[in-house]
């Protein structure tokens, strides 16, 4: 048959081709080599050539094979199947290695002939003429080196990352192509028992004498590389005793021994000398160039007695620490928890299968799905070749750590320098190979720099893993984790301070020789303490989740109301009070302490500053401790770390509680929502990674903003220290980074040049939907309302051309004018329109700030003029000075320069020109004063109280407060918020500011305790002549200071000041408008009215005998609320006032105990309501039956002289006094004193609101009276 012959010939032709290309040997000798290879193949295949297989060269393997594969020359399909099946044991879901039909022939080498010394690193390679590839063998003989082999069974594992080549796993012993020569010598050898004293004796070693030592290999140290020198230690034990000696192997040609040596086998090593280590002085045997490693063979070795000069004085033997052997059958139960006590790690041996690579950079592998193997403490974690999932490893003398880190789920086996890690079986699975990066491995660098124990190391690894996961998508892994000393990467900046805090006193450097050689084992893994991590830096989505959870933890609606208040509230009032609340969390509110990390971004959609990581974003509010607004545009894109912050969770509840009695029943909570944001000071920020090219600018802005003085201060900029000005105006010439906007080209100057224009913001308006129709836009699109904001600015100077963004100097526009003394900088007003992407500048643009627009990659100085257009069609334009509109383009960059108040003297000319623009900031008393005339006001103050109000049209009853909401806003749009703002904490002067919910979605950080600068509020006067302010479109707020931390958990919802000041009624007039709370010692002269009622909680109709009395339409309510009110007359000798009391204060005023009051109110329930009026002449509202006992009781109580008594009254001014009870100014009144009646002229009665009533004891009365007299006299 010709066919097989033809196939064979074709195959042979290919084989010849291959031999010519790949087989080693000088030209012309390939046929001989090929013959030998074919001979080998024939004998392996019992005479036949493997025609189904083809030869592969090393280079083809490396370049053509992309996935892991294996090849088994002689196996049948069934044999392969069984082999593959067995390998799946621990990982049944993984696929096995696919089989290829390839013949691999090559030399095994340790790299010594590659004429690169570097390559001799203890690794073995397979090479042919086309290339060289690392290989791993489970069994190796020294004679194999530099011989040609046929590999019958092997796997090729390419590297996951395509940039470097993979490696070979040699599954079966290679078959020598040529018959090897075997040489056996009979050599004299010394046994460890007699050799050991040489190492302990003090006799100086003779360098010349060489020794041969034979023994059993009991320990094999790892290959170490210190200062570019690779070496390892081995330990030979006497056959008959436990005495053993160390041998240092360091000749490059001998590093391959590491692959030969097998524990428990007997060896002879020749040519040893004794050397003492520099650092510790420990002595060890050292191999020399001519040293040989020979298998021990009793016949060939004869004992060599040591001559007398070698003899030491003592021959005492010492034994190695006996290791606890728990191989395989490791008990995996945890020890009972003994936190805070140092634990001793056990030393064990273990055989297991790698089931997962936990973190190859950190040297963490999971064995048998339950134990973590840590190889980090071996200084070289070189390749991790062979450690793929599915591989079986034997660990000898590793440390067992039960629970090194609270949050770490596995038991840890830590390999130290005296441990041995042996690969027992290669993986049969198609799992990839991830090589660890040897240089710049931050984990390992920090481990060695700080001598970390296992608990701290594992914690470090987990921090780093999270860090990398969160931020490598922004900055790239390499930049984030780089760890050069001059320029530490972000990860190092973050981790090093944490480690320094944990390892304050660094132990002395690790002595690895001592760790290996010392008789008593000493290493960093011996003792450990279970670590409770001191801090955490979880992803932002986790932060938000935990914060929300915490905000509802232990939350009950009753916390938001004082019970005294709540029991008299109708349904609507009650539920509205629950709608909006907040809680604040700090780093310490979390366990462990929570560190916030995030990239600062501005959302052009929401115009909010936010911290961002891969998982989520967190809105943030940044304030500056000097009170100036945050305007640092250079910080955008930087990675920030904040440890001192307030995480605010705003809670939004939809409830339908019928009354306060149901507050504990959470079924009435219909909906719970939260929004989370964080606020912090710029000064508390640490920049871990500055945005490209903006570091220098950032530092400069920081300086200038801290120089800003508040307007109220009398320090004028002229008085500032001159050094400060110089510092601020120094140009960062050293800025070497390129601006991000000009990434495109750098070769031609045309593309890198940019145009800038300086301006001053004179007014900024709020974000809202505006009806802008840009002239260049096609109609149709322009019809939609645009979310936008606008700012009125004053251009300063002319636009400037710069060859590169980094050339931009400091305010040369202002310098020019001061030089030539010309009047008036080119001053031109403009209205900037921010829409679309440019909305991102909203948080940075503030009134009185000097900013610059930078138009990147532009050289047209008229770029700004070209885009301007009149705000209204020219035909409607009446004012010639009307500012032109300029839509801000998406690509423009905004840069904050300084504040107008910070301009130094030499730029003062400009300052003078601009002072007119400088808006006045008033004080709260000025705003409240009746002589004030302005309608737009700006002032600063501290928020005392934040309450949610409903607009009047919304007061109609409904069972649930379910109202339409605007998108993105969790408050119903017809709600508004009332902020009570005072000059300073505890100050009686308070102004109320109303902000509707529409504006609130852009206003964050308006919390009680925060000091806020309000700008351009509208000042209004109520019908009761009270002054208040409203937030309008052109208003804006900036946070001057965050709430103090003690205010973060408001204990009582009311939160009033402790003891109000004692005043006289006559003193009250001057501050009529603004007294939140004061106290008088007064005499209750008479009770004018008392009104008790039982009202429906829904519709406020009278509630009688358990149901609502409203019939048309019928009211479904089953809940009534008790309400009481009274008006009493008091006088304190200087004046008279009507006091309105409500609910529980009525009882106090009438002097009733709680029980009596309860009984009285219960009596009202059957009647619905009851009223008593002084004199009872008109009889209005008197519904009582003549024989009504309760009414009689109440009436006699009110008329009783006993009720007229001294009381201490806390009150506020009634801002909405009833007109009926308000007498006209200056009226004549009758007074009766005993028998005498007289008429006197009195001023108008004050109308007061009772806040608290206290009885006065006699002693206290005497004291208070004397106090009054003292103060009255001091008045005169
Ligand atoms: Zn150890
Ligand atoms: Zn009703």
């Amino acid at each position: 048959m010709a066919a097989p012959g033809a196939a064979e010939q074709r195959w042979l032709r290919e084989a010849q081709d291959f031999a010519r290309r790949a087989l080693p040997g000088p030209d012309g000798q390939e046929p001989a080599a090929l013959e030998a290879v074919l001979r080998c193949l024939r004998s392996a295949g019992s005479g036949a050539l493997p025609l189904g297989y083809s030869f592969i060269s090393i280079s083809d393997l490396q370049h053509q094979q992309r996935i892991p594969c294996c090849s088994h020359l002689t196996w049948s399909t069934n044999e392969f199947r069984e082999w593959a099946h067995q390998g799946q044991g621990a990982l049944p879901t993984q696929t096995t290695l696919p089989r290829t039909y390839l013949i691999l022939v090559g030399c095994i080498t340790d790299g010594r002939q590659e004429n690169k010394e570097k390559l001799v690193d203890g690794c073995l390679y397979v090479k042919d003429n086309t290339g060289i590839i690392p290989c791993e063998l489970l069994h190796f003989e020294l004679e194999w080196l530099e011989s040609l082999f046929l590999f019958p069974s092997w796997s090729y594992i390419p590297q996951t990352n395509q940039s470097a080549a993979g490696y070979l796993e040699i599954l079966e012993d290679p078959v020598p192509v040529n018959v090897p020569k075997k040489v056996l010598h009979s050599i004299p050898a010394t046994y460890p028992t007699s050799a050991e004293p040489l190492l302990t004796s003090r006799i100086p070693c003779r360098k010349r004498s060489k020794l041969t030592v034979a023994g059993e290999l009991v320990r094999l140290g790892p290959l170490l590389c210190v200062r570019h020198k690779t070496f390892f230690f081995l330990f030979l034990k006497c056959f008959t005793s436990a005495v053993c000696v160390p041998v240092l192997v360091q000749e490059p040609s001998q590093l391959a021994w590491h692959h030969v040596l097998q524990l428990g086998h007997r060896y002879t090593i020749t040519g040893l000398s004794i050397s003492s280590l520099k650092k510790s002085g420990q002595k060890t045997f050292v191999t020399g160039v001519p040293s040989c490693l020979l298998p021990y063979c009793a016949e060939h070795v004869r004992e060599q007695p040591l001559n007398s000069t070698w003899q030491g004085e003592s021959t005492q033997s010492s034994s190695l620490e006996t290791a606890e052997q728990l191989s395989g059958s490791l008990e995996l139960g945890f020890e009972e928890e003994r936190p805070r006590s140092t634990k001793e790690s056990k030393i064990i041996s273990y055989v297991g299968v790698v089931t997962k690579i936990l973190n190859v950079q950190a040297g963490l592998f999971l064995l048998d799905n339950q134990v973590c193997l840590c190889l980090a403490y071996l200084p070289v974690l070189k390749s991790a070749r062979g450690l793929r999932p599915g591989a079986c490893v034997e660990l000898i003398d590793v440390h067992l750590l039960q629970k090194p880190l609270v949050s770490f789920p596995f038991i840890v086996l830590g390999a130290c320098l005296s441990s041995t890690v042996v690969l027992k079986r290669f993986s049969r699975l198609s799992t990839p190979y991830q090589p660890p990066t040897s240089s710049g491995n931050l984990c390992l660098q920090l481990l060695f720099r700080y001598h970390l124990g296992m608990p701290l190391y594992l914690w470090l690894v987990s921090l780093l893993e999270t860090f990398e996961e969160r931020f490598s998508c922004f900055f790239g892994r390499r930049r984030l984790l780089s760890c050069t000393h001059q320029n530490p990467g972000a990860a190092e900046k973050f981790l090093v301070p944490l480690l320094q805090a944990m390892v304050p006193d660094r132990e002395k450097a690790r002595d690895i020789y001592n760790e290996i050689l010392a008789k008593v084992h000493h290493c960093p893994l011996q003792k450990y303490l279970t670590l409770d991590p001191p801090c955490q830096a979880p992803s932002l989505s986790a932060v938000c989740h935990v914060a929300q959870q915490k905000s509802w933890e232990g939350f009950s609606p009753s916390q938001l109301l004082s019970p005294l208040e709540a029991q008299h509230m109708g349904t609507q009032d009650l539920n509205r009070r629950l709608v909006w609340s907040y809680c604040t969390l700090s780093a310490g509110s979390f366990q462990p302490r929570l560190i916030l990390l995030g990239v600062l971004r501005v959302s052009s959609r929401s115009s909010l500053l936010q911290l961002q990581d891969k998982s989520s974003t967190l809105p943030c509010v940044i304030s500056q401790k000097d009170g100036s607004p945050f305007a640092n545009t250079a910080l955008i894109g930087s990675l920030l770390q904040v440890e001192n912050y307030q995480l605010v969770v705003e809670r939004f509840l939809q409830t339908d509680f019928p009354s306060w009695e149901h507050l504990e029943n959470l079924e009435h909570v219909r909906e719970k929502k939260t929004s989370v944001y964080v606020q912090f000071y710029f000064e508390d920020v640490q920049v871990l990674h500055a945005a490209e090219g903006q570091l220098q600018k950032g530092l400069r802005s920081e300086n200038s903003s801290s120089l800003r003085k508040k307007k109220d201060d009398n320090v004028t900029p002229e008085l500032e220290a001159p050094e400060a000005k110089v510092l601020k105006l120094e140009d960062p010439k050293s800025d070497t980074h390129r601006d991000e906007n000009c990434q495109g080209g750098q070769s031609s100057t045309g593309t890198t040049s940019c145009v800038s224009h300086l301006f001053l913001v004179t007014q900024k308006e709020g974000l809202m939907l505006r009806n802008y129709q840009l002239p260049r836009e096609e109609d149709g699109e322009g019809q939609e309302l645009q979310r936008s904001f606008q700012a009125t600015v004053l251009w300063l100077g002319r636009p400037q051309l710069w060859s590169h963004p980094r050339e931009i100097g400091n305010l040369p526009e202002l310098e020019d004018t001061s030089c030539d003394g010309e009047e008036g900088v080119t001053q031109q007003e403009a209205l900037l329109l921010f829409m679309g992407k440019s909305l991102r500048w909203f948080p940075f643009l503030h009134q009185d700030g000097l900013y610059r627009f930078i138009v990147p990659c532009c050289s047209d100085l008229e770029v700004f003029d070209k885009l301007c257009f009149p705000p209204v069609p020219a035909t409607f334009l009446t004012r010639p000075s009307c500012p032109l509109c300029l839509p801000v383009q998406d690509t423009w960059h905004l840069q904050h320069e300084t504040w107008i108040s910070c301009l130094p003297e030499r730029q003062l000319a400009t300052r003078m020109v601009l002072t007119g623009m400088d808006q006045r900031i008033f004080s709260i008393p000025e705003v409240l004063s009746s002589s004030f005339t302005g309608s737009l006001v700006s002032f600063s103050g501290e928020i005392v109280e934040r309450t949610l109000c409903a607009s009047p049209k919304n007061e109609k009853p409904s069972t649930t407060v379910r109202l339409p909401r605007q998108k993105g806003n969790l408050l119903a749009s017809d709600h508004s918020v009332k902020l009570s703002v005072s000059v300073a904490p505890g100050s009686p002067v308070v102004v109320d500011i109303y902000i509707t919910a529409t504006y609130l979605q852009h206003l964050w950080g308006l919390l009680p305790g925060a000091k806020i600068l309000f700008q351009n509020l509208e000042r209004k006067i109520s019908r009761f002549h009270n002054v208040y302010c409203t937030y309008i479109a052109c208003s804006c707020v900036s946070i001057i200071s965050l709430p103090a931390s003690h205010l973060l958990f408001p204990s009582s919802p009311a939160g009033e000041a402790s003891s109000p000041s004692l005043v006289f009624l006559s003193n009250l007039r001057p501050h009529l408008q603004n007294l939140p709370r004061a106290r008088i010692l007064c005499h209750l002269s008479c009770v004018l009215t008392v009104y008790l009622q039982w009202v429906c909680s829904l519709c406020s109709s009278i509630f009688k005998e358990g149901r609502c009395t409203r019939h048309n339409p019928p009211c479904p309510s089953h809940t009534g609320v008790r309400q009481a009110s009274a008006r009493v007359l008091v006088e304190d000798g200087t004046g008279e006032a009507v006091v309105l009391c409500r609910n529980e204060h009525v009882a106090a005023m009438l002097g009733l105990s709680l029980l009596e009051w309860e009984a009285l109110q219960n009596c009202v329930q059957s009647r619905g309501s009851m009223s008593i009026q002084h004199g009872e002449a008109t009889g209005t509202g008197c519904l009582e039956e003549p024989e009504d006992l309760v009414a009689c009781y109440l009436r006699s109580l009110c008329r009783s002289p006993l009720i007229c008594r001294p009381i201490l009254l806390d009150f506020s001014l009634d801002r909405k006094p009833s007109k009926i009870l308000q007498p006209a100014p200056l009226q004549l009144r009758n007074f009766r004193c005993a028998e005498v009646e007289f008429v006197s002229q009195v001023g108008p009665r004050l109308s007061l609101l009772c806040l608290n009533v206290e009885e006065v004891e006699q002693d206290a009365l005497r004291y208070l009276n004397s106090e009054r007299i003292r103060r009255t006299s001091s008045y005169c």
Side-chain angles (χ1 to χ4, degrees), residues 177-351:
V177 169
N178 300 303
V179 181
K181 58 260 166 199
K182 201 112 184 166
V183 254
L184 287 173
H185 305 284
S186 165
I187 29 165
T190 310
Y191 293 107
T193 323
S194 18
E196 197 254 4
L198 298 177
L199 301 179
T200 48
S201 77
R202 302 218 175 124
I203 304 163
C205 6
R206 296 183 171 189
K207 292 243 161 113
R208 301 285 158 84
S209 337
K210 299 291 180 196
L211 203 65
T212 298
V213 176
E216 178 191 331
L217 184 73
V218 285
R219 223 173 98 195
L220 178 64
L223 273 167
L224 301 176
C225 180
V226 176
R227 287 185 205 95
H228 308 294
K229 194 161 174 61
T230 309
F231 60 90
F232 68 93
F233 282 94
L234 60 90
F235 294 79
L236 291 178
K237 186 180 83 73
C238 180
F239 303 138
T240 50
S241 74
V243 174
C244 87
V245 290
V247 178
L248 170 63
V249 180
Q250 55 178 359
E251 294 300 328
S253 62
Q254 291 157 0
L255 295 177
W257 294 8
H258 201 261
H259 299 274
V260 176
L261 294 162
Q262 283 182 295
L263 293 181
H265 288 222
R266 296 172 171 199
Y267 298 98
T268 306
I269 302 174
T270 66
L272 294 174
S273 55
I274 291 177
S275 170
S276 64
L277 299 169
K278 266 185 215 152
K279 206 168 181 182
S280 57
Q282 272 156 318
K283 286 182 183 168
T284 173
F285 287 107
V286 185
T287 59
V289 179
S291 293
C292 292
L293 173 73
L294 302 166
Y296 172 81
C297 186
E299 312 88 83
H300 295 117
V301 177
R302 52 181 200 280
E303 165 107 46
Q304 180 196 40
L306 290 165
N307 62 41
S308 57
T309 48
W310 282 109
Q311 293 284 6
E313 63 264 44
S314 81
T315 47
Q316 68 177 30
S317 64
S318 72
S319 67
L320 253 197
E321 208 178 342
T322 43
E324 215 166 323
Q325 300 287 318
L326 282 176
S327 182
S329 63
L330 173 65
E331 191 53 55
L332 289 170
F334 282 108
E335 284 172 3
E336 63 271 41
E337 287 295 306
R338 274 183 303 150
R340 304 291 105 218
S341 68
T342 311
K343 288 181 269 190
E344 195 95 27
S345 64
K346 283 181 189 165
I347 293 181
I348 65 155
S349 295
Y350 184 85
V351 177

Side-chain angles (χ1 to χ4, degrees), residues 370-576:
Q370 53 185 354
V371 225
C372 169
L373 166 64
C374 173
L375 296 180
Y377 289 82
L378 302 176
V380 225
L381 172 68
K382 210 165 220 151
S383 58
R385 278 184 209 128
L387 286 174
R388 295 184 297 122
C392 177
V393 285
E394 182 178 10
L395 314 171
I396 298 150
D397 295 349
V398 289
H399 294 266
L400 169 75
L401 288 83
Q402 288 276 5
K403 192 152 186 72
L405 180 68
V406 170
S407 53
F408 196 73
F410 307 111
I411 285 178
V412 180
L413 296 177
C416 70
L417 290 171
S418 70
S419 313
T420 311
V421 179
V422 184
L423 199 60
K424 295 293 278 185
R425 197 187 66 224
F426 287 117
S427 170
R428 297 170 188 182
L429 301 172
S430 177
T431 46
Y433 163 53
Q434 309 167 300
T437 51
S438 46
S439 66
N441 186 328
L442 187 59
C443 274
L444 297 184
Q445 286 209 4
L446 293 176
L447 170 72
F448 292 115
R449 200 189 305 167
Y450 293 97
H451 308 296
L452 304 177
M454 182 70 78
L456 264 177
Y457 179 66
L458 292 176
W459 179 56
L460 167 78
V461 169
S462 73
L463 281 177
L464 200 59
E465 277 174 352
T466 323
F467 189 84
E468 195 187 327
E469 159 70 21
R470 294 174 63 191
F471 300 113
S472 55
C473 57
F474 295 97
F475 306 104
R477 228 189 128 257
R478 190 174 298 170
R479 260 196 288 177
L480 214 56
L481 304 186
S482 76
C483 50
T484 51
H485 264 294
Q486 303 79 20
N487 189 18
E492 192 175 346
K493 278 191 197 162
F494 166 56
L495 293 170
V496 162
L498 299 178
L499 292 178
Q500 276 169 342
M502 296 296 287
V503 202
D505 38 69
R506 257 204 248 177
E507 285 170 41
K508 59 175 172 49
R510 244 176 107 183
D511 178 356
I512 59 168
Y513 299 103
N514 194 47
E515 261 177 53
I516 297 170
L517 296 173
K519 293 239 160 93
V520 180
H521 182 59
H522 176 81
C523 84
L525 299 179
Q526 273 171 313
K527 291 200 172 84
Y528 67 102
L529 193 69
T530 298
L531 179 73
D532 232 334
C535 60
Q536 53 174 337
S539 71
L540 289 177
S541 68
V543 169
C544 292
H545 181 74
V546 177
Q548 283 167 349
Q549 232 174 10
K550 277 194 172 289
S551 78
W552 295 116
E553 232 166 58
F555 171 81
S556 131
S558 56
Q559 290 166 352
L560 302 176
L561 303 161
S562 86
L564 282 177
E565 250 184 321
Q567 60 177 307
H568 303 291
M569 281 182 179
T571 304
Q572 198 159 11
D573 262 357
L574 184 76
N575 289 299
R576 186 168 51 235

